[in-house]
Amino acid sequence: MAKPNIDFSKLTTTLTQTPKELLDQSELKFGKYFTDHMLCIKYTEDNGWEAPEIMPYGPLAIDPAAFVLNYSVEAFEGTKAYRAADGTINLFRPEKNLQRLASSSQRILLPEFDQEQFLECIKELVRVDQRFVPKDYGYSMYIRPNFIGTEPNLNLQYSREALLYVYLSPVGPYFPRTVKLFANATEARAWPGGVGSFKLGGNYAPALRPAMDVVNKGYDQILWLLGDDHYVTEVGTMNFFIFWTNTDGEKELVTAPLDGIILPGVTRDSLLALARQWGDFKVSERKITMPEVVTAVEEGRLLEAFGAGTACIVCSVSEVFYNGSNIAIPVDPTDPNAVYGPLTKRLRAELLDIQYAKTPSPWNVPI
């Protein structure tokens, strides 16, 4: 007999008795402020998925011997809800995030779940806390699903108990300026045969120390380089893009391929789709090296570079420290105070117009 899967029709809701005050949007910092409620769905191997619950936001009760606390059996996601000018609220391509969560969780032997039913539960959570979804352009509601192994068992096998939970955080702009990068070729965030293409908590904790090291040196993020040829992989926790005139004289937008090292970002996929739809220049997913980037800068062929991800959408890069020197990266030659390069600005504007429903798109999912 099949074990129960997630069933939206069994969702129960318990509302908080102490609703929070809304912050002024100017006070919203990324990941610092949370809404009134959260969604929790428990799983056991014996009984399958329990009924979903929306409950007041608060601490979780987890056994000290739980898999997540001892062996980092945890996958997570990040997506957003946007309020359109007419007040309606949409999620942006949430099915892509749930597909990635399923892939990540299977890599660490967490149980399968019904993605469509889970999405319906998430939409209801956003409806319950919709007063927290900011109204202004550039602001949004960050949605964080977490999937953790909760069985209290120190045997390194797999967790027979799990918890899928979601909480919400209204957020403002992540990087309202250009960023400076420190190229790191001595440490690796991901490597061939590893788990860089999965969104696992264990991928992020080891990067904290090197990330803070570069912040203390006056930089914003690490540009992760891999191997003797200094393959350019990712920037911090974002996908990385170069826009240049390549050695064949073609205008080209380039990002690293999904080779098992690179996280398959939803924003990455969306930007590639938009650029290919325009047809104005070549769009490539291929390996590039830092020496190639340096040569392009020296020859005046590098036009822009930017990071892309759910948190920031896009952010232009203005400087990279590499091999002992700072390399200036063009942003907008016509405006020394520009926050975005011309292509980065165009991509950001078109994507935001979709996310805020100014431009109709099947990527938007109404709640």
Side-chain angles (χ1 to χ4, degrees), residues 22 46 115 189 221 241:
L22 295 179
D46 290 339
Q115 297 175 36
R189 190 203 76 84
Q221 295 273 5
F241 287 78

Side-chain angles (χ1 to χ4, degrees), residues 113-146:
F113 61 93
D114 188 307
Q115 297 175 36
E116 292 183 1
Q117 293 292 299
F118 183 40
L119 177 55
E120 291 304 314
C121 294
I122 292 174
K123 288 160 69 174
E124 180 62 20
L125 177 64
V126 176
R127 282 192 288 266
V128 168
D129 276 348
Q130 62 182 290
R131 71 187 182 94
F132 290 90
V133 181
K135 296 180 174 63
D136 289 349
Y137 199 80
Y139 293 79
S140 57
M141 176 84 86
Y142 188 79
I143 302 169
R144 170 55 65 88
N146 285 79

Side-chain angles (χ1 to χ4, degrees), residues 44-66:
T44 63
E45 188 174 66
D46 290 339
N47 300 312
W49 287 98
E50 297 181 8
E53 298 179 83
I54 290 176
M55 62 184 67
Y57 179 90
L60 300 172
I62 300 177
D63 193 287

Side-chain angles (χ1 to χ4, degrees), residues 242-276:
I242 289 284
F243 185 51
W244 62 7
T245 302
N246 63 27
T247 53
D248 293 326
E250 305 166 301
K251 293 282 180 65
E252 182 184 29
L253 179 65
V254 189
T255 192
L258 299 180
D259 54 5
I261 295 170
I262 305 300
L263 188 72
V266 178
T267 304
R268 172 191 182 276
D269 183 74
S270 304
L271 296 177
L272 289 171
L274 286 176
R276 286 173 174 141

Side-chain angles (χ1 to χ4, degrees), residues 2-184:
K3 303 277 194 338
N5 211 314
I6 295 174
D7 186 345
F8 171 64
S9 71
K10 295 181 179 178
L11 174 69
T12 61
T13 299
T14 303
L15 297 179
T16 182
Q17 299 301 305
T18 56
K20 299 175 182 177
E21 292 186 9
L22 295 179
L23 288 183
D24 186 274
Q25 288 189 171
S26 63
E27 299 180 52
L28 293 178
K29 308 297 182 185
F30 185 82
K32 295 284 189 178
Y33 176 59
F34 305 101
T35 67
D36 285 338
H37 300 92
M38 61 184 184
L39 168 69
C40 292
I41 317 174
K42 295 179 181 179
Y43 170 90
T44 63
E45 188 174 66
D46 290 339
N47 300 312
W49 287 98
E50 297 181 8
E53 298 179 83
I54 290 176
M55 62 184 67
Y57 179 90
L60 300 172
I62 300 177
D63 193 287
F67 266 79
V68 63
L69 299 179
N70 291 275
Y71 304 125
S72 195
V73 178
E74 187 257 356
F76 69 97
E77 268 305 323
T79 186
K80 285 180 175 178
Y82 297 85
R83 188 185 296 275
D86 64 1
T88 58
I89 297 171
N90 294 290
L91 309 184
F92 180 71
R93 306 190 77 184
E95 74 287 346
K96 298 287 288 185
N97 293 94
L98 296 190
Q99 290 165 10
R100 189 171 64 182
L101 180 62
S103 174
S104 298
S105 59
Q106 288 162 21
R107 181 61 177 81
I108 52 176
L109 292 179
L110 287 171
E112 295 183 358
F113 61 93
D114 188 307
Q115 297 175 36
E116 292 183 1
Q117 293 292 299
F118 183 40
L119 177 55
E120 291 304 314
C121 294
I122 292 174
K123 288 160 69 174
E124 180 62 20
L125 177 64
V126 176
R127 282 192 288 266
V128 168
D129 276 348
Q130 62 182 290
R131 71 187 182 94
F132 290 90
V133 181
K135 296 180 174 63
D136 289 349
Y137 199 80
Y139 293 79
S140 57
M141 176 84 86
Y142 188 79
I143 302 169
R144 170 55 65 88
N146 285 79
F147 198 2
I148 62 175
T150 55
E151 181 188 3
N153 188 342
L154 297 183
N155 288 307
L156 193 52
Q157 299 174 353
Y158 68 95
S159 184
R160 294 166 179 82
E161 300 174 12
L163 176 66
L164 193 51
Y165 67 99
V166 184
Y167 54 90
L168 310 172
S169 177
V171 296
Y174 192 70
F175 275 123
R177 54 178 175 78
T178 61
V179 296
K180 298 190 298 181
L181 307 181
F182 187 100
N184 187 333

